Structure formats: structure tokens, C-alpha cells
Amino acid sequence: MDFNLSEEHQAVQAAARDFAQTELLPGVIERDTAQHFDPVLLRKMSELGFLGMMVAPEYGGGGMDTLAYVLALEEISKVDASAGVIMSVNNSLVCWGLEKYGTEAQKQQYLTRLASGEIIGAFCLSEPEAGSDATSQHTTAFLNADHYLLNGTKNWITSGNTSSVCLVIAQTHPEAKHKGINTFIVEKGWKGFSVGRKEDKMGIRASDTHTLMFSDVKVPAANRIGEDGFGFKFAMNVLNGGRIGIAAQALGIAAGAFELSLKYSKERKTFGKPIAEHQAIQFKLSEMATKIEAARLLVYKAARLKDEGKDYIQAAAMAKLYASEVAMWVTTEAVQVHGGYGYVKEYHVERLMRDAKITQIYEGTSEIQKLVIARELLK
Ligand code: CAA
């Protein structure tokens, strides 16, 4: 598999790095503390095309491949993992799902605005009693003439408040279990749709995560995605690609913490020399770099398989499993390399360590990734 980056790939990577360093870095600590993502930055991300990278230009996207997308996501997450998750959900779960499975009318009405970043989307699968056990949907949507009546609660929804359009997974035919589930495009502002409490999170604090409530929301039948009963398959297919995005986010978090550690270890002196000259630190740096490189190869491989139209379910799960474990390990070591400075906000690594944890949880926990990998191996 060829991982030599084309000129276009390198240009996307450089543009994302430049944006991250000049625009995202300056206020990243303040945004984490305030739990607020600056809308001006979101606007800049959309202007630079980071919110609909893989969508065809005819629908307002960048027409790029998955590799270009993960390269950008990695650079952005090195600095601001909150920006990373906003970008990942909009690109991989919302835009990709709509472009792949939406009708032409749905694409014209929603995808064009989502891909250009004019509006942001959310993906609503998790519920108070349906996290890993995603088939156990309690949100219902029953057909009533030309519309569905949507009722239920969704939890931990990324961009829950910022988003204008939500892809909501709901049970339509309970007797058919997961084969009776549908996914609907639901607009904010529709009667009965309310935004609930904002979660006070450990990490990715600048991204908003909310509970969403639906009480007799009338959803036009035309807003169902795919055939009746396709909704769970839709969610699974979309999450396969989403996991590549979260793997890239995790890779970025790890690489960002490593770059800071490398720099710091050359500057900080103990016992009369830079700590980089102590073998204890060298061993840490070597192991960090090796694990990050291995994670990078898994992430790029999954992206390449997807771009080549090959099966990428296992590769995506492996990339997400490994990159998220590496992110947690590397960021913990990065705090250790920084010592007391690592424990305070100013040096960034404590935030990256907090940000890393979620990559082992959302879009399928590490345990779910192992389940997915095992099922693919045993097929
Ligand atoms: N790709 C495609 N299809 C898949 C799939 C995959 N990775 N995994 C399961 N399926 C299909 C199965 O083939 C099956 O379809 P058929 O009945 O047609 O054969 C169907 O889904 C049900 O699968 P199972 O019988 O295996 O169901 P299960 O209950 O035993 O396991 C699960 C399902 C794999 C555990 C699934 O529930 C799962 O992936 N859970 C994790 C959910 C998740 O990732 N949530 C993330 C929330 S979204 C989020 O975090 C976004 C954000 O804001 C950042």
C-alpha cells in the first residue's frame, strides 16, 4: 500500500497545520476552560473547506478522498481536539451518510448547506439506555399518513446545540428489532424538538455535547433515509467510516503531545543537561514515536482501503482501537515528561490527556472495536 503523499495531500496537510497553529492554538486553553467553541473559528473552518471535505463539489464539498480528510483532521487535532470532533462528526457521520444514502432532494435541501459548513449536523444514535448496545433504541417514530411522529431522548450528542440538522435513529417497527429501525433528518426548530442539558465534560470541552428531546415531532416521511428498516444498517455503515475519523483525531492528539514533549525535553534541564539527554526520557520518546507511527499506518491504511472501495470495517476498527489506546498512553507519558509543568494548563499536555480519553469511548468503545474486529476475523 502506497503512503507517499501526493502534492494535493501535502497541500491539504500544510493548510490544516497552518490553520491549527495560527488560528486554533492562540485561544485553545480559554475555549477549553469556557467550554465554548468560537463561532468565528467555525466559520473559518467552513471557509477553508474543512467541514465537507469528502463531499462532491456539486453538493458544495471539497471532493477530496479520505486520506486528505484524515491528514487534515490529524493536524487540527494536534492542537484542538474539540475542533477535531466537530469536524469529524460533520464530515464522516452526517455528510458522508447523506451523500451515500440520501435522496437527491435530501442532498439538495440539506447536504449542500452541511458540506459548505453553512450549517452543522449532529448524529443521534446514543440514548440513556443505548450506548454500546445500540440496537436497543427506545426513541420511536411511528408513521402517521405523510409523516412520522418522533418521541424520545438522545444522549451525549456532539454539536447538540450548535447543529441545525440532526440525523436521528429511531425504532419504527419494534417487533422487527434492529431491522425495524430508521434514520431521519430532523431540523432544529421543529415543534416538539428541544435541546436539553449541556454536559460538563472531562475533555473536548470546547465542543458542545447535549441531551436532545423529541416530543411528538412531526418528521416528513420524505426525511427518512433509505428503505424502511435501513436505519440501523445506515448507522453501522456510517460509523465504520466515522471510526477512521476518530482514529485520526486520536492520532493527532498523540502526535501533538509527542511534538510538545520532544520540544520540551530539549529545553528543560535537570542534573546539568537537557532532559532529552537522559536515557529515561529517551526511552519514553522512542516508544511514543514508535507507537504513533504504527497508529498512523493503521489510520492511513483504513483511509486508503475506503478510498479504493475495498472492505474497511476491520481496518477502521483496528485503527480506532489502536490509535485511541496510543493517544491515552502517549498523552499520559507526555505529562510525565513535562513533570510538574505537565500538570498545569499552560503546557497543553494535560488537556490533550483529558481529550484522549473520549477517543476510547465514542463511536464505539475499545471493547466494541474488539468485538467488531473479532466478528470480522471469525466471519
Ligand atoms: N458494519 C456494518 N454492519 C454492521 C456492523 C458494522 N460494523 N456491525 C453490526 N452490523 C450489522 C450486522 O451485520 C447486523 O445486520 P444483519 O441483521 O442485517 O445481519 C446488524 O448490524 C446487527 O448486528 P448484530 O446482530 O451484531 O447486533 P449486536 O447488538 O450483537 O451488536 C454492535 C451490534 C456492533 C455492538 C453495535 O450495537 C455497535 O456498533 N455498537 C456501538 C455503537 C456506537 O458506536 N455508538 C457510537 C455513538 S455515535 C457517536 O459517538 C458520535 C459522536 O457524537 C462522536
Side-chain angles (χ1 to χ4, degrees), residues 239-305:
L239 279 167
N240 289 327
R243 287 165 185 164
I244 302 176
I246 299 304
Q249 184 202 25
L251 170 62
I253 293 170
F258 171 72
E259 287 176 11
L260 290 168
S261 302
L262 193 64
K263 182 168 176 288
Y264 179 81
S265 66
K266 289 191 231 169
E267 291 164 1
R268 170 76 169 159
K269 287 191 174 135
T270 60
F271 305 102
K273 55 185 178 184
I275 61 169
E277 290 178 25
H278 296 307
Q279 202 177 47
I281 300 297
Q282 289 178 357
F283 281 5
K284 284 190 193 302
L285 295 173
S286 304
E287 215 175 332
M288 287 160 107
T290 306
K291 284 179 194 280
I292 290 167
E293 196 57 20
R296 185 171 284 122
L297 291 175
L298 283 176
V299 176
Y300 290 8
K301 178 186 171 184
R304 278 274 194 231
L305 286 175

Side-chain angles (χ1 to χ4, degrees), residues 132 134 158 178-179 232-233 236 240 243 362-364 375:
S132 291
T158 300
H178 71 269
K179 290 184 194 293
F232 191 73
K233 204 76 183 167
M236 291 295 107
N240 289 327
R243 287 165 185 164
Y362 59 20
E363 299 205 20
R375 286 178 184 185

Side-chain angles (χ1 to χ4, degrees), residues 55 58-60 94-115 119 146 148 165-168 182-187 190 219-228 230 234:
V55 176
E58 61 186 293
Y59 297 117
V94 180
C95 287
W96 189 84
L98 272 176
E99 185 169 29
K100 176 93 178 156
Y101 300 109
T103 61
E104 188 54 32
Q106 289 168 350
K107 290 180 199 178
Q108 292 299 342
Q109 191 175 353
Y110 298 108
L111 181 60
T112 46
R113 289 185 293 147
L114 287 160
I119 57 170
D146 63 347
Y148 286 84
V165 167
C166 298
L167 303 188
V168 182
N182 279 304
T183 300
F184 301 93
I185 308 166
V186 184
E187 292 182 32
W190 283 354
V219 181
N223 277 30
R224 190 187 74 208
I225 302 179
E227 293 293 309
D228 193 10
F230 179 64
F234 171 85

Side-chain angles (χ1 to χ4, degrees), residues 55-133:
V55 176
E58 61 186 293
Y59 297 117
M64 292 177 214
D65 60 14
T66 316
L67 187 59
Y69 164 57
V70 300
L71 289 167
L73 200 41
E74 180 184 338
E75 290 305 324
I76 283 173
S77 302
K78 275 183 189 176
V79 173
D80 187 340
S82 294
V85 72
I86 296 166
M87 187 177 154
S88 183
V89 168
N90 202 65
N91 276 279
S92 326
L93 301 183
V94 180
C95 287
W96 189 84
L98 272 176
E99 185 169 29
K100 176 93 178 156
Y101 300 109
T103 61
E104 188 54 32
Q106 289 168 350
K107 290 180 199 178
Q108 292 299 342
Q109 191 175 353
Y110 298 108
L111 181 60
T112 46
R113 289 185 293 147
L114 287 160
S116 67
E118 182 191 328
I119 57 170
I120 298 294
F123 179 79
C124 310
L125 173 67
S126 302
E127 298 186 353
E129 291 171 69
S132 291
D133 185 8

Side-chain angles (χ1 to χ4, degrees), residues 334-356:
V335 171
Q336 195 68 16
V337 168
H338 282 74
Y341 292 108
Y343 205 65
V344 298
K345 288 187 188 296
E346 195 187 335
Y347 283 76
H348 298 285
V349 285
E350 67 81 33
R351 187 187 68 257
L352 291 167
M353 181 178 162
R354 288 187 284 107
D355 290 342

Side-chain angles (χ1 to χ4, degrees), residues 141-142 148 170-182 228-229:
F142 296 126
Y148 286 84
Q171 182 55 266
T172 298
H173 310 286
E175 69 292 350
K177 304 212 165 82
H178 71 269
K179 290 184 194 293
I181 290 172
N182 279 304
D228 193 10

